[in-house]
Amino acid sequence: MVTGTSSDAGKSILVAGLCRWLAREGVSVAPFKAQNMSLNSFVTQAGAEIGRAQAAQAMAARVEPEAVMNPVLLKPGSDTSSQLIVLGRAVGEHEAARYWGDVQGRLRAVVLEAFGELAGRFDVVICEGAGSPAEINLRASDIVNMGFARAANVPTVLVGDIDRGGVFAGFVGTLALLDEADQALLAGFVVNKFRGDRALLEPGLEMLTELTGRPVLGVLPYVPGLGVDAEDSIDRALLLSGGAPLGEDVLRINVVAFPRMSNHTDLDALAVEPGVVLRFVTEPGGLRDADLIVLPGTRASVHDLAWLRARGLDEAVRAHAASGRPVLGICGGYQMLGTGIADDVESRAGSVPGLGLLPIRTVFGPDKVLGRPSRTLADGTVVHGYEIHHGRISRQGGEPFVADEGCRVGAVAGTVWHGLLENDAFRREYLRSVATACGRRFVLAPHTCFAAIREAKLDRLADLVAQELDRDAVWALLDGRARSAPVLRLVRGHRQ
């Protein structure tokens, strides 16, 4: 299991790198995250909803994503409540106090059964923790960090982001806060995002091993843009760049960053196009120079529509559309573009007027729509996507956006499909229409392949694992040959 000193320390990408490295070594491997809290999710071929990061890790392992790879998924709807998804199916909304105090512990059997199923079918299962394993206030009911590791008897490594600073304190402090049985499973450390002179780091690594009795299994260098399908952070997407423009003009795509924005990974395929500048904005002024405005998916369509209006972004979007410049809505963002939303399910706000830019109306139903649709376009091109939504949309005018799906009126368009822009031919044609509508002399790269770019990133992660980790030590962990390490105790702030 890979745990971290904090959220975003590098757990997800290390798991992806390990999965691809092992797959290249001929090992059958699967990823696993017992409990994930994320607004970025994916739909399996069987119609189950799991965290997007676990789907990417499955791609790294060259296997099909499955519900058992992420048996528990929490999708926050507010600061204190989340939708609970168990084995790919939504089972209700839960307040944080009730979930962490009662519900979580009862899911332990589900988690262990899912892990056992994977372990019975694959040579290796690479597990990912969540947040930090030293969240001592939640340890009693924990099912994703050391609570899971203890129950499944899984050796654990701890990753720290040295670029943030304080990595040694993070390693030692995390270890010291664990009880003896938890500490016995923590086998070593991995330093992530190192840049600088390795010789200056070595004395610290040696002191860390002397203090804790545990080895540093590797130091991964800082490599920009190597993130793969992050759980929620948009920093990675901002770093994705397609390089220098091929023509005189760049194409400016500004994305409204809703408070409960979901599946912002939809925009990754735009960000890798040469000549595209992608930015996330929260103020009307951030939309002034946009060629294309994107309203992305959201976990809370009605609440985020109210947020849009409160900030004056609604008028900025309307003005942009009135000038003939393109607007694209995806899933929840698409719902906002319509005449109205009737929601007695998520927000329970009843009927709420939309932005009125598309002739559609959304009615929320109790059952979530999950699917992996595909369509054949008029030119024979096949496009794929996936659906995750409660709202059912009816179209009263306009024309479909893609085949018989979505809606378009002039330069304003919307779709419930996530992943649509990952279809290279469709994406290029859409960007050409955006450039034409905006009068941009924008030259598209003719052969940008998003799937190939993603594969190259996964292979680069595997290369880093092979080059920078102690592979003998990793194999020893996988084979169960790693020895137990000594206990580190803190008494009045001193080692005992």
Side-chain angles (χ1 to χ4, degrees), residues 86-297:
V86 178
L87 292 174
R89 302 296 174 190
V91 296
E93 297 280 335
H94 288 275
E95 292 296 320
R98 179 169 178 263
Y99 178 77
W100 299 107
D102 176 39
V103 177
Q104 186 190 45
R106 290 191 273 112
L107 291 171
R108 185 184 305 271
V110 174
V111 163
L112 292 175
E113 184 177 351
F115 171 73
E117 181 181 335
L118 284 175
R121 292 191 281 121
F122 291 88
D123 298 331
V124 172
V125 180
I126 305 292
C127 309
E128 180 183 346
S132 161
E135 292 168 346
I136 55 179
N137 55 313
L138 303 175
R139 177 61 183 86
S141 63
D142 174 54
I143 60 171
V144 63
N145 288 308
M146 302 314 296
F148 165 75
R150 284 259 292 272
N153 194 31
V154 176
T156 302
V157 298
L158 184 63
V159 183
D161 180 354
I162 197 170
D163 196 51
R164 293 181 172 186
V167 72
F168 294 116
F171 285 146
V172 176
T174 298
L175 178 62
L177 284 172
L178 303 180
D179 66 27
E180 291 186 18
D182 287 353
Q183 284 193 26
L185 290 172
L186 207 156
F189 309 103
V190 174
V191 177
N192 188 32
K193 295 185 182 178
F194 176 73
R195 44 184 164 184
D197 187 343
R198 175 69 180 261
L200 297 176
L201 182 65
E202 287 297 337
L205 303 181
E206 293 171 4
M207 287 186 279
L208 179 65
T209 296
E210 181 181 353
L211 178 64
T212 66
R214 289 161 174 81
V216 176
L217 301 174
V219 177
L220 301 177
Y222 181 90
V223 181
L226 265 191
V228 180
D229 288 17
E231 290 179 349
D232 284 308
S233 170
I234 63 172
D235 292 342
R236 175 187 60 79
L238 289 169
L239 289 172
L240 287 174
S241 172
L246 296 181
E248 294 181 33
D249 289 343
V250 297
L251 202 62
R252 297 165 176 84
I253 301 177
N254 292 6
V255 183
V256 176
F258 296 124
R260 296 295 169 188
M261 179 171 58
S262 64
N263 286 70
H264 63 71
T265 49
D266 288 332
L267 289 310
D268 289 358
L270 296 177
V272 300
E273 285 285 357
V276 166
V277 175
L278 183 73
R279 291 177 293 184
F280 290 85
V281 303
T282 57
E283 301 291 341
L287 299 178
R288 290 195 189 105
D289 68 343
D291 296 315
L292 168 64
I293 292 176
V294 179
L295 304 184

Side-chain angles (χ1 to χ4, degrees), residues 182-491:
D182 287 353
Q183 284 193 26
L185 290 172
L186 207 156
F189 309 103
V190 174
V191 177
N192 188 32
K193 295 185 182 178
F194 176 73
R195 44 184 164 184
D197 187 343
R198 175 69 180 261
L200 297 176
L201 182 65
E202 287 297 337
L205 303 181
E206 293 171 4
M207 287 186 279
L208 179 65
T209 296
E210 181 181 353
L211 178 64
T212 66
R214 289 161 174 81
V216 176
L217 301 174
V219 177
L220 301 177
Y222 181 90
V223 181
L226 265 191
V228 180
D229 288 17
E231 290 179 349
D232 284 308
S233 170
I234 63 172
D235 292 342
R236 175 187 60 79
L238 289 169
L239 289 172
L240 287 174
S241 172
L246 296 181
E248 294 181 33
D249 289 343
V250 297
L251 202 62
R252 297 165 176 84
I253 301 177
N254 292 6
V255 183
V256 176
F258 296 124
R260 296 295 169 188
M261 179 171 58
S262 64
N263 286 70
H264 63 71
T265 49
D266 288 332
L267 289 310
D268 289 358
L270 296 177
V272 300
E273 285 285 357
V276 166
V277 175
L278 183 73
R279 291 177 293 184
F280 290 85
V281 303
T282 57
E283 301 291 341
L287 299 178
R288 290 195 189 105
D289 68 343
D291 296 315
L292 168 64
I293 292 176
V294 179
L295 304 184
T298 167
R299 165 69 172 86
S301 299
V302 170
H303 286 157
D304 280 355
L305 178 56
W307 173 88
L308 191 83
R309 288 190 163 112
R311 300 181 85 87
L313 284 158
D314 59 329
E315 293 303 324
V317 173
R318 284 195 184 98
H320 183 90
S323 71
R325 289 175 292 170
V327 176
L328 175 64
I330 301 174
C331 201
Y334 175 33
Q335 295 168 3
M336 294 182 195
L337 293 175
T339 58
I341 300 173
D343 180 12
D344 293 316
V345 176
E346 266 187 7
S347 67
R348 304 185 187 279
S351 185
V352 175
L355 299 180
L357 296 177
L358 288 176
I360 63 166
R361 181 168 176 78
T362 302
V363 177
F364 274 66
D367 297 324
K368 183 180 285 191
V369 176
L370 300 170
R372 290 273 293 271
S374 64
R375 298 286 191 278
T376 301
L377 306 183
D379 63 359
T381 301
V382 178
V383 293
H384 307 273
Y386 59 100
E387 295 184 57
I388 307 170
H389 56 91
H390 278 283
R392 273 72 166 177
I393 296 174
S394 58
R395 180 168 59 88
Q396 289 91 36
E399 59 183 8
F401 179 46
V402 50
D404 59 349
E405 199 283 317
C407 182
R408 182 198 292 243
V409 174
V412 180
T415 177
V416 294
W417 285 21
H418 297 289
L420 178 60
L421 296 169
E422 295 179 15
N423 296 277
D424 297 326
F426 179 86
R427 180 182 67 254
R428 283 194 286 268
E429 187 57 37
Y430 179 66
L431 289 179
R432 286 190 191 97
S433 71
V434 169
T436 299
C438 298
R440 292 286 184 192
R441 295 185 298 275
F442 173 68
V443 179
L444 269 167
H447 303 299
T448 303
C449 176
F450 182 71
I453 291 170
R454 173 182 279 151
E455 281 293 300
K457 287 183 181 183
L458 293 171
D459 281 328
R460 179 67 177 122
L461 284 173
D463 291 342
L464 290 176
V465 165
Q467 295 162 9
E468 307 297 342
L469 294 193
D470 183 340
R471 287 174 292 173
D472 289 339
V474 173
W475 282 118
L477 286 175
L478 296 174
D479 292 340
R481 292 183 281 111
R483 64 181 179 84
S484 294
V487 173
L488 179 67
R489 295 190 182 93
L490 292 185
V491 179

